[in-house]
Amino acid sequence: MYGNYLDDAAKIVAEKREENLKFEHARLTAEEKDQILKEFHPDRIASEFEEIKIGPNKGQKAPHELAAMLQAKPRFDPDHVDLNHIDYEADVLVIGGGGAGTSAAIMASEAGAKVLLVTKLRVGDANTMMAEGGIQAADKANDSPAQHYLDAFGGGHFDGKPELVYTLVNKAPSVIKWLNDLGVEFDKEADGTMVTTHGGGTSRKRMHACKDYSGAEIMRTLRDETFNRADKITVVDFTSAVEIIKNEKGEAAGAVLVNMETGEVRIAKAKVVIIATGGAGRMHYQGFPTSNHYGATADGLVMAYRAGAKLLYQDSLQYHPTGAAYPEQILGKLVTEKVRSLGAKLINKDGEVYIHPLETRDVNASGIIKEVRQGRGVKNDVQDAVWLDTPMIEIIHGEGTILKRIPAMYKMFIKYGIDIRTEPILVYPTLHYQNGGVEIDKTCHTNVPNLLVAGEASGGVHGTNRLMGNSLLDVVVFGREAGIEAGKMFGKIAMSDTSKLSLEHVKAFEKERDAAGIKGDEVSPKLLPTYTHGNKEFEKKPWPGAAK
């Protein structure tokens, strides 16, 4: 039990559980969705964004925190970087060791490329590892990629690039087969049929899962396959890319690297560069807690932007509706949407089901924020929140379902004395996903020649809102596409074409920065967040809705 004043609040939920189990909240109309988003979604708070003053997206809006990084000083003076001393040379340089980066490395190596994969932490230290609920694919008889397209395109407010959404959904069935063949242990029936469930915004049950640690299982498999290809893929971990290097033609030709442990600078030269650096949750936009891994600091966006790559929807973030809001030790940790897929409903302090549990993520996040702001949230000393009534799952599906289907959720809460089989949990939106990023085409090309981007660092796949299960799909689909494309490219590029390496674009960016009157000593990319006591950057705002 909670063992404090929250026990009384939880009793209200228990008293109304039977009634709430029978009650089905109607889906919101399009007009109602638009209204709740307009009033309560964090992306709609104009004061939290500013105009970008320099670069390809000059005049557009970005969150204050991202704008600061996009327009900050480079970490190194270009004149003090020796580009003549090459430390690593490869056909394809992959920056990032998550699902997109490993998928890209695997496919490029399969095409015969010599691949260098550099990763800030270790291979697998990525948001992919932390994804829980599942991966979408329309591979059953009652479904189709066309239906998946309608769900994904509409769920993204029709803002996605059609060719990217088309690629995402049409490659999905083959990606599931590829992962299965590599050894991913998907949930299956006794006859081998894959178990599929609904997600928010899906019109069919197409969510394939590995209990509630789907991302970890997929990442385990991709990591193992990467290491199995050691003859073709060289992995350099605890090494960050801090600047894209170009050749005299303006094509991407490598990267400036820095060892995270020693601070030593290294130069990597390559024919093709793939950015797969993932998300930005550790930027803590608007002071929100995050579900993201420690290294998610928008580095890829910064490097690509300084190299001249355009961003798309950089002002759009996803706040997952159900982040843990109690106890403090797990504030912001992801409570997978699969919990709601299995039947748990969102309940306010009065014990009322106030919204359908499987509305799209942005709508449900806005709904929770609305309940809290209007006084119907559950007050506590960590983060005012709403209830997610997890005991409903075992009532609906039978005893043992939680341990069988969402064991990681059970383990996360039982450590703190909360048994989700018998007690509801408190949830509040957590900064979860970077909807926007570097603009790409269907083969992952940016507007900078020989620079490809895949996964969460890219923009346009999900429009301005992502559906559950489309992120794991995105990183594998477009990670593979980037690797396949790089595999086609490298043989047509002579290494002599990359002989004259240059950071002139960084110098030009610095001049543009000076001309715009941008001051300050902040440097980028950020690389890692800082949580030291007294850090003004982190402490400038309390968590949204937190008890004062």
Side-chain angles (χ1 to χ4, degrees), residues 374-402:
Q374 294 187 347
R376 295 183 295 277
V378 181
K379 291 191 174 297
N380 66 86
D381 57 4
V382 178
Q383 167 71 66
D384 293 354
V386 299
W387 293 110
L388 183 58
D389 197 6
T390 49
M392 286 183 167
I393 294 171
E394 304 236 316
I395 295 173
I396 295 169
H397 300 285
E399 188 176 339
T401 300
I402 284 176

Short mmCIF file of all heavy atoms in Angstrom, two decimals, residues 374-402:
data_model
loop_
_atom_site.label_atom_id
_atom_site.label_comp_id
_atom_site.label_asym_id
_atom_site.label_seq_id
_atom_site.Cartn_x
_atom_site.Cartn_y
_atom_site.Cartn_z
N GLN A 374 -7.32 21.92 -13.70
CA GLN A 374 -8.67 22.32 -13.31
C GLN A 374 -9.09 21.73 -11.96
O GLN A 374 -10.27 21.75 -11.61
CB GLN A 374 -9.66 21.93 -14.41
CG GLN A 374 -9.42 22.70 -15.71
CD GLN A 374 -10.49 22.46 -16.77
OE1 GLN A 374 -11.30 21.53 -16.67
NE2 GLN A 374 -10.49 23.29 -17.80
N GLY A 375 -8.12 21.21 -11.23
CA GLY A 375 -8.38 20.80 -9.85
C GLY A 375 -8.91 19.40 -9.67
O GLY A 375 -9.30 19.03 -8.56
N ARG A 376 -8.90 18.59 -10.73
CA ARG A 376 -9.40 17.22 -10.60
C ARG A 376 -8.26 16.20 -10.58
O ARG A 376 -8.48 15.01 -10.74
CB ARG A 376 -10.38 16.92 -11.74
CG ARG A 376 -11.66 17.76 -11.69
CD ARG A 376 -12.63 17.39 -12.79
NE ARG A 376 -12.10 17.69 -14.11
CZ ARG A 376 -12.15 18.89 -14.70
NH1 ARG A 376 -12.71 19.91 -14.06
NH2 ARG A 376 -11.64 19.07 -15.91
N GLY A 377 -7.04 16.70 -10.40
CA GLY A 377 -5.89 15.82 -10.28
C GLY A 377 -5.73 15.33 -8.85
O GLY A 377 -6.37 15.85 -7.92
N VAL A 378 -4.88 14.35 -8.67
CA VAL A 378 -4.60 13.79 -7.35
C VAL A 378 -3.37 14.49 -6.79
O VAL A 378 -2.27 14.34 -7.32
CB VAL A 378 -4.35 12.27 -7.44
CG1 VAL A 378 -4.10 11.69 -6.05
CG2 VAL A 378 -5.53 11.57 -8.12
N LYS A 379 -3.56 15.27 -5.74
CA LYS A 379 -2.44 16.01 -5.17
C LYS A 379 -1.54 15.08 -4.37
O LYS A 379 -2.01 14.21 -3.64
CB LYS A 379 -2.96 17.15 -4.28
CG LYS A 379 -3.63 18.26 -5.07
CD LYS A 379 -3.90 19.48 -4.21
CE LYS A 379 -4.42 20.64 -5.05
NZ LYS A 379 -3.42 21.08 -6.04
N ASN A 380 -0.24 15.27 -4.54
CA ASN A 380 0.73 14.53 -3.75
C ASN A 380 2.01 15.35 -3.67
O ASN A 380 2.11 16.41 -4.28
CB ASN A 380 0.98 13.13 -4.35
CG ASN A 380 1.65 13.19 -5.70
OD1 ASN A 380 2.87 13.25 -5.78
ND2 ASN A 380 0.87 13.19 -6.78
N ASP A 381 2.99 14.87 -2.93
CA ASP A 381 4.19 15.67 -2.70
C ASP A 381 5.28 15.48 -3.75
O ASP A 381 6.40 15.96 -3.58
CB ASP A 381 4.77 15.41 -1.30
CG ASP A 381 5.10 13.95 -1.07
OD1 ASP A 381 4.96 13.15 -2.03
OD2 ASP A 381 5.50 13.59 0.05
N VAL A 382 4.96 14.80 -4.86
CA VAL A 382 5.92 14.63 -5.95
C VAL A 382 5.44 15.35 -7.20
O VAL A 382 6.10 16.27 -7.71
CB VAL A 382 6.18 13.14 -6.26
CG1 VAL A 382 7.14 12.98 -7.43
CG2 VAL A 382 6.72 12.42 -5.03
N GLN A 383 4.30 14.94 -7.73
CA GLN A 383 3.77 15.51 -8.97
C GLN A 383 2.26 15.30 -9.00
O GLN A 383 1.80 14.15 -9.00
CB GLN A 383 4.41 14.82 -10.18
CG GLN A 383 3.74 15.07 -11.52
CD GLN A 383 3.94 16.49 -12.01
OE1 GLN A 383 5.04 16.90 -12.32
NE2 GLN A 383 2.86 17.24 -12.09
N ASP A 384 1.49 16.36 -9.01
CA ASP A 384 0.04 16.20 -9.12
C ASP A 384 -0.25 15.41 -10.39
O ASP A 384 0.38 15.61 -11.43
CB ASP A 384 -0.63 17.57 -9.18
CG ASP A 384 -0.50 18.33 -7.86
OD1 ASP A 384 -0.01 17.74 -6.89
OD2 ASP A 384 -0.89 19.51 -7.82
N ALA A 385 -1.23 14.51 -10.31
CA ALA A 385 -1.38 13.51 -11.36
C ALA A 385 -2.80 12.99 -11.44
O ALA A 385 -3.71 13.52 -10.78
CB ALA A 385 -0.41 12.35 -11.06
N VAL A 386 -3.01 11.96 -12.26
CA VAL A 386 -4.26 11.21 -12.29
C VAL A 386 -3.93 9.74 -12.05
O VAL A 386 -2.76 9.33 -12.12
CB VAL A 386 -5.03 11.37 -13.63
CG1 VAL A 386 -5.40 12.83 -13.88
CG2 VAL A 386 -4.24 10.80 -14.80
N TRP A 387 -4.96 8.96 -11.79
CA TRP A 387 -4.77 7.52 -11.57
C TRP A 387 -4.81 6.76 -12.90
O TRP A 387 -5.57 7.12 -13.80
CB TRP A 387 -5.87 6.96 -10.67
CG TRP A 387 -5.87 7.44 -9.26
CD1 TRP A 387 -6.78 8.27 -8.68
CD2 TRP A 387 -4.93 7.08 -8.24
NE1 TRP A 387 -6.47 8.48 -7.36
CE2 TRP A 387 -5.33 7.76 -7.06
CE3 TRP A 387 -3.79 6.29 -8.20
CZ2 TRP A 387 -4.64 7.64 -5.86
CZ3 TRP A 387 -3.09 6.17 -7.00
CH2 TRP A 387 -3.52 6.84 -5.85
N LEU A 388 -4.01 5.72 -12.98
CA LEU A 388 -4.15 4.71 -14.03
C LEU A 388 -4.52 3.44 -13.30
O LEU A 388 -3.73 2.89 -12.51
CB LEU A 388 -2.83 4.55 -14.80
CG LEU A 388 -2.84 3.57 -15.98
CD1 LEU A 388 -3.90 3.96 -17.01
CD2 LEU A 388 -1.46 3.52 -16.64
N ASP A 389 -5.74 2.96 -13.53
CA ASP A 389 -6.30 1.89 -12.71
C ASP A 389 -5.86 0.51 -13.20
O ASP A 389 -6.60 -0.23 -13.84
CB ASP A 389 -7.83 2.00 -12.68
CG ASP A 389 -8.44 1.21 -11.54
OD1 ASP A 389 -7.67 0.69 -10.71
OD2 ASP A 389 -9.67 1.12 -11.48
N THR A 390 -4.64 0.14 -12.86
CA THR A 390 -4.04 -1.12 -13.32
C THR A 390 -4.75 -2.39 -12.81
O THR A 390 -4.73 -3.40 -13.53
CB THR A 390 -2.55 -1.16 -12.92
OG1 THR A 390 -2.42 -0.81 -11.52
CG2 THR A 390 -1.76 -0.17 -13.75
N PRO A 391 -5.36 -2.40 -11.63
CA PRO A 391 -6.05 -3.63 -11.22
C PRO A 391 -7.14 -4.07 -12.20
O PRO A 391 -7.55 -5.24 -12.20
CB PRO A 391 -6.64 -3.25 -9.85
CG PRO A 391 -5.68 -2.24 -9.31
CD PRO A 391 -5.29 -1.42 -10.52
N MET A 392 -7.64 -3.15 -13.03
CA MET A 392 -8.65 -3.52 -14.03
C MET A 392 -8.13 -4.62 -14.97
O MET A 392 -8.92 -5.44 -15.47
CB MET A 392 -9.02 -2.30 -14.88
CG MET A 392 -9.90 -1.28 -14.18
SD MET A 392 -10.32 0.05 -15.31
CE MET A 392 -11.64 0.88 -14.39
N ILE A 393 -6.83 -4.65 -15.21
CA ILE A 393 -6.26 -5.59 -16.17
C ILE A 393 -6.53 -7.03 -15.76
O ILE A 393 -6.96 -7.86 -16.57
CB ILE A 393 -4.74 -5.35 -16.33
CG1 ILE A 393 -4.49 -3.98 -16.96
CG2 ILE A 393 -4.09 -6.45 -17.16
CD1 ILE A 393 -3.03 -3.55 -16.98
N GLU A 394 -6.30 -7.34 -14.48
CA GLU A 394 -6.49 -8.72 -14.03
C GLU A 394 -7.97 -9.07 -13.90
O GLU A 394 -8.35 -10.23 -14.06
CB GLU A 394 -5.74 -8.94 -12.72
CG GLU A 394 -4.27 -8.61 -12.83
CD GLU A 394 -3.35 -9.75 -12.44
OE1 GLU A 394 -3.63 -10.41 -11.42
OE2 GLU A 394 -2.35 -9.98 -13.16
N ILE A 395 -8.79 -8.08 -13.64
CA ILE A 395 -10.24 -8.34 -13.61
C ILE A 395 -10.73 -8.70 -15.02
O ILE A 395 -11.54 -9.60 -15.21
CB ILE A 395 -11.00 -7.12 -13.07
CG1 ILE A 395 -10.61 -6.85 -11.61
CG2 ILE A 395 -12.51 -7.31 -13.19
CD1 ILE A 395 -11.17 -5.56 -11.04
N ILE A 396 -10.20 -8.00 -16.01
CA ILE A 396 -10.63 -8.22 -17.40
C ILE A 396 -10.05 -9.52 -17.97
O ILE A 396 -10.77 -10.34 -18.55
CB ILE A 396 -10.20 -7.04 -18.31
CG1 ILE A 396 -10.92 -5.76 -17.89
CG2 ILE A 396 -10.47 -7.36 -19.78
CD1 ILE A 396 -10.36 -4.50 -18.55
N HIS A 397 -8.75 -9.73 -17.78
CA HIS A 397 -8.05 -10.82 -18.47
C HIS A 397 -7.71 -12.01 -17.58
O HIS A 397 -7.26 -13.04 -18.08
CB HIS A 397 -6.76 -10.30 -19.10
CG HIS A 397 -6.97 -9.22 -20.11
ND1 HIS A 397 -7.46 -9.47 -21.38
CD2 HIS A 397 -6.76 -7.88 -20.03
CE1 HIS A 397 -7.53 -8.32 -22.05
NE2 HIS A 397 -7.13 -7.34 -21.25
N GLY A 398 -7.90 -11.86 -16.28
CA GLY A 398 -7.62 -12.98 -15.39
C GLY A 398 -6.34 -12.79 -14.59
O GLY A 398 -5.42 -12.08 -15.00
N GLU A 399 -6.30 -13.46 -13.46
CA GLU A 399 -5.15 -13.37 -12.56
C GLU A 399 -3.89 -13.86 -13.26
O GLU A 399 -3.90 -14.87 -13.97
CB GLU A 399 -5.42 -14.22 -11.30
CG GLU A 399 -4.38 -14.06 -10.23
CD GLU A 399 -4.74 -14.84 -8.96
OE1 GLU A 399 -5.93 -15.16 -8.77
OE2 GLU A 399 -3.80 -15.11 -8.18
N GLY A 400 -2.80 -13.14 -13.07
CA GLY A 400 -1.53 -13.52 -13.68
C GLY A 400 -1.21 -12.77 -14.95
O GLY A 400 -0.08 -12.85 -15.47
N THR A 401 -2.19 -12.00 -15.47
CA THR A 401 -1.97 -11.29 -16.73
C THR A 401 -0.86 -10.26 -16.63
O THR A 401 -0.04 -10.13 -17.55
CB THR A 401 -3.27 -10.60 -17.20
OG1 THR A 401 -4.29 -11.59 -17.38
CG2 THR A 401 -3.05 -9.86 -18.51
N ILE A 402 -0.82 -9.54 -15.54
CA ILE A 402 0.19 -8.48 -15.39
C ILE A 402 1.59 -9.07 -15.38
O ILE A 402 2.50 -8.57 -16.06
CB ILE A 402 -0.09 -7.63 -14.13
CG1 ILE A 402 -1.26 -6.67 -14.41
CG2 ILE A 402 1.15 -6.85 -13.69
CD1 ILE A 402 -1.71 -5.84 -13.24
#
